[in-house]
Amino acid sequence: MNLSFFDQFSSPSLLGIPLILISMVFPALLLPSLDNRWITNRLSTLQLWFINLVTKQLMMPLNKKGHKWALILTSLMIFLLLINLLGLLPYTFTPTTQLSMNLALAFPLWLATLLTGLRNQPSASLGHLLPEGTPTPLIPALILIETTSLLIRPLALGVRLTANLTAGHLLIQLISTATTALFSTMPVVSLLTLLVLFLLTILEVAVAMIQAYVFVLLLSLYLQENI
């Protein structure tokens, strides 16, 4: 086997040009286009119902000031969801397995929530760095710990999404390789591994949806702390 298991995570290229931008833009083609009518067909109705459900879930922990972020959070949720699900199709590429892309999504949005808090309520935002009632000798250590935990939030967002999707893709490839290799020698065992592969694929579909939701939900919780 000449190819490595990790070759599936390298960005595809054509004539030396990386195609990751096409992979990121393609999910937008699945969204309904603008039309003069409110409801064009059943698919548009289903999509609008799903977007409305997602928006309600994301806005639930936020107060009215945070509802200004409804468009960007819902758009990010749909974007990540479509990319994660499309990446499970054969011969496709999943951009969200790239840590650089996930950090490029997490860091600006986290920084925007932090700057929003520092602008609107600087005292309350800085007060999160020092819990109330902290003994005086522990103040420097707690400030350092809280500052570190605050700064690693975007890194944790990106690493969580990357690690979960990468682990799932590797498991699917390992089990599918074992199924193919055992088919000629031990067909019964191969059928069992095929069943495991089917169940794992269902699990990965759920993981792809959950990770997209968790990514945006944590951003909304960070926003709630600063508004």
Side-chain angles (χ1 to χ4, degrees):
M1 189 174 179
N2 297 326
L3 295 178
S4 169
F5 284 123
F6 291 93
D7 287 339
Q8 61 175 315
F9 303 115
S10 60
S11 176
S13 59
L14 179 64
L15 300 176
I17 302 174
L19 303 180
I20 186 172
L21 292 178
I22 298 178
S23 302
M24 295 170 58
V25 172
F26 179 74
L29 301 177
L30 302 178
L31 298 177
S33 58
L34 296 177
D35 195 275
N36 293 330
R37 293 175 293 178
W38 282 101
I39 299 178
T40 55
N41 51 40
R42 294 179 181 178
L43 179 59
S44 298
T45 305
L46 182 62
Q47 289 174 333
L48 291 174
W49 170 82
F50 178 73
I51 292 174
N52 186 35
L53 178 64
V54 169
T55 305
K56 285 183 178 180
Q57 292 296 324
L58 293 177
M59 294 299 106
M60 192 176 298
L62 299 178
N63 54 27
K64 289 185 178 180
K65 293 182 179 179
H67 291 179
K68 299 177 183 178
W69 290 63
L71 179 60
I72 186 171
L73 292 179
T74 304
S75 301
L76 179 63
M77 170 71 184
I78 302 299
F79 175 71
L80 291 176
L81 181 61
L82 290 176
I83 282 185
N84 292 348
L85 292 178
L86 289 174
L88 294 174
L89 297 175
Y91 303 103
T92 57
F93 173 70
T94 312
T96 44
T97 56
Q98 307 295 310
L99 181 60
S100 57
M101 174 185 166
N102 295 335
L103 289 179
L105 291 174
F107 182 77
L109 292 173
W110 166 81
L111 184 61
T113 61
L114 183 62
L115 293 178
T116 300
L118 292 176
R119 185 189 65 179
N120 296 335
Q121 45 181 16
S123 300
S125 297
L126 294 176
H128 291 301
L129 301 178
L130 185 63
E132 187 177 355
T134 303
T136 304
L138 297 179
I139 289 179
L142 277 180
I143 291 179
L144 182 61
I145 293 173
E146 292 295 330
T147 304
T148 304
S149 65
L150 177 66
L151 295 178
I152 65 173
R153 280 180 174 182
L155 180 63
L157 281 175
V159 170
R160 181 187 296 108
L161 182 58
T162 303
N164 281 282
L165 295 180
T166 302
H169 282 64
L170 284 176
L171 281 176
I172 288 178
Q173 185 169 1
L174 287 170
I175 296 178
S176 60
T177 303
T179 303
T180 306
L182 294 174
F183 184 75
S184 58
T185 56
M186 293 181 287
V188 178
V189 178
S190 178
L191 290 177
L192 291 177
T193 55
L194 181 62
L195 177 61
V196 173
L197 179 61
F198 176 74
L199 296 177
L200 181 62
T201 304
I202 297 177
L203 177 63
E204 284 306 310
V205 171
V207 168
M209 300 173 67
I210 292 172
Q211 288 304 316
Y213 177 70
V214 168
F215 187 92
V216 183
L217 179 64
L218 288 176
L219 281 175
S220 67
L221 293 178
Y222 297 158
L223 177 63
Q224 177 60 28
E225 293 180 0
N226 292 284
I227 56 176

